[in-house]
Amino acid sequence: MPLLRYCVGLDISKESLQVCLSVIDTDGRVVVKGSTKVANKPPAFAQLEH
């Protein structure tokens, strides 16, 4: 099924970053493809590249 849109959500606090990736298909269904939480510190940011 073709995907219409990708969506990235960010919740940023002093202590952490929470990130979620979802897609919407042509039927309007939203599917969460992945989510993660990392420390809000530069060394942890590299984890978001994978």
Side-chain angles (χ1 to χ4, degrees):
M1 174 122 349
L3 301 176
L4 290 179
R5 191 175 341 170
Y6 290 85
C7 181
V8 175
L10 298 171
D11 184 2
I12 301 169
S13 73
K14 182 179 176 183
E15 299 296 321
S16 65
L17 306 174
Q18 293 183 322
V19 182
C20 177
L21 173 68
S22 63
V23 293
I24 300 174
D25 66 19
T26 54
D27 290 332
R29 288 183 289 228
V30 177
V31 177
V32 174
K33 291 294 193 177
S35 63
T36 191
K37 181 178 179 180
V38 297
N40 192 355
K41 298 187 183 317
F45 299 161
Q47 295 174 16
L48 299 175
E49 294 177 356
H50 301 282

